[in-house]
Amino acid sequence: MKKFSLYDKDIREDLFIYLEELYGKIRILEEVNIGDSRADAIGVIDGALIGIEIKSDADTYTRLKSQVKDYDAFFDYNYLVVGSSHGAHASEHVPENWGIISVELIDGKLDFYILRAAKLGTDMSIKNKLSLLWRPELAHIQQINNMHKYDYKSKAWVRDKIIETVSEAVLNDLISEELFERDYEAIKETINNYRQAKGQKKRRNLKRRKYRKKAKS
């Protein structure tokens, strides 16, 4: 009997439901640029971010080495999600702190199994993590920490100032809170108002990321 191959598109929706059941409170953001890579998904939980890289039966490990470096630099925890064709050798391609989740089609349904739980990484840079936030989200962190607005400074400058002012432990919580509450339409309006005030053209669209947002308990 020919074995059924699972593709990325076959895995995602059920994977995100599985992660909701696993973590309880989690928000999933898809296709996010990190360094020279693009994360398949980010899981936002209280005080931490989880990088999720999917290698379906149709994928190879060709780019994984460079992807691992970027994931480790941006996220607290990381998971490699693999189709059955990769399951036996997945641990050879990621560091020991990475978790591994296998996925198989059993009786017409996807079955997920944690082969190895993710551990807290040591290479995450809070500066990289903070770069995932947009200008209005940075401004909100400045506001709640009674910081000056620095409207005419670059985002990179503002991020450095935030890191100087707010402890990393507090920032981890605040970054998660901002991503939990991210509202694409509201942020688009805020960004356009900001750009208009500076004499810049409005942005036509902010690329909406698909996500599943679990209601707060």
Side-chain angles (χ1 to χ4, degrees):
M1 181 182 293
K2 185 178 179 181
K3 191 172 183 179
F4 183 81
S5 293
L6 289 173
Y7 295 89
D8 186 296
K9 63 182 178 62
D10 302 317
I11 295 172
R12 290 195 179 223
E13 188 69 14
D14 285 353
L15 171 64
F16 300 155
I17 293 172
Y18 172 76
L19 291 172
E20 285 183 353
E21 294 171 350
L22 184 64
Y23 285 97
K25 179 185 177 183
I26 189 170
R27 181 174 187 179
I28 304 293
L29 303 175
E30 294 185 73
E31 303 296 336
V32 179
N33 292 326
I34 53 167
D36 295 324
S37 304
R38 177 175 290 181
D40 285 330
I42 300 175
V44 183
I45 60 175
D46 286 331
L49 300 183
I50 304 167
I52 302 162
E53 175 63 22
I54 302 169
K55 293 297 182 189
S56 71
D57 293 323
D59 294 324
T60 69
Y61 288 121
T62 303
R63 295 182 296 113
L64 187 57
K65 185 176 181 179
S66 62
Q67 290 173 317
V68 163
K69 184 177 179 180
D70 286 328
Y71 272 79
D72 280 338
F74 278 79
F75 305 128
D76 304 279
Y77 301 91
N78 291 289
Y79 269 101
L80 178 64
V81 181
V82 293
S84 57
S85 65
H86 293 304
H89 301 286
S91 62
E92 301 170 12
H93 297 275
V94 291
E96 291 185 0
N97 61 290
W98 275 57
I100 301 172
I101 298 175
S102 69
V103 53
E104 291 185 88
L105 187 67
I106 298 177
D107 296 330
K109 294 184 179 180
L110 293 187
D111 180 69
F112 295 91
Y113 181 76
I114 297 179
L115 297 175
R116 188 169 77 190
K119 299 177 183 177
L120 182 65
T122 58
D123 295 332
M124 185 277 291
S125 162
I126 194 67
K127 189 172 183 177
N128 286 336
K129 196 173 176 183
L130 197 61
S131 73
L132 298 171
L133 298 187
W134 294 335
R135 187 95 193 201
E137 294 164 337
L138 294 174
H140 187 234
I141 288 178
Q142 291 168 257
Q143 178 185 4
I144 61 181
N145 285 281
N146 299 312
M147 295 176 62
H148 192 275
K149 290 183 178 180
Y150 303 114
D151 285 339
Y152 291 93
K153 296 291 187 179
S154 69
K155 285 190 290 185
W157 193 96
V158 169
R159 288 194 294 265
D160 287 341
K161 197 66 177 178
I162 289 173
I163 291 169
E164 288 177 12
T165 307
V166 186
S167 72
E168 183 167 330
V170 172
L171 269 182
N172 281 322
D173 288 333
L174 293 177
I175 291 169
S176 287
E177 288 174 15
E178 292 301 321
L179 292 176
F180 270 128
E181 298 302 324
R182 176 171 283 183
D183 182 328
Y184 286 85
E185 290 304 316
I187 287 180
K188 176 184 175 182
E189 182 178 358
T190 301
I191 289 175
N192 281 337
N193 289 340
Y194 174 82
R195 292 174 67 87
Q196 187 174 17
K198 294 186 70 175
Q200 300 174 353
K201 291 183 178 180
K202 291 184 178 181
R203 287 187 176 178
R204 293 181 180 179
N205 286 300
L206 290 174
K207 187 176 180 182
R208 180 181 290 273
R209 308 294 186 192
K210 295 180 182 179
Y211 67 88
R212 301 182 63 86
K213 183 178 178 183
K214 188 81 170 179
K216 289 186 178 181
S217 55

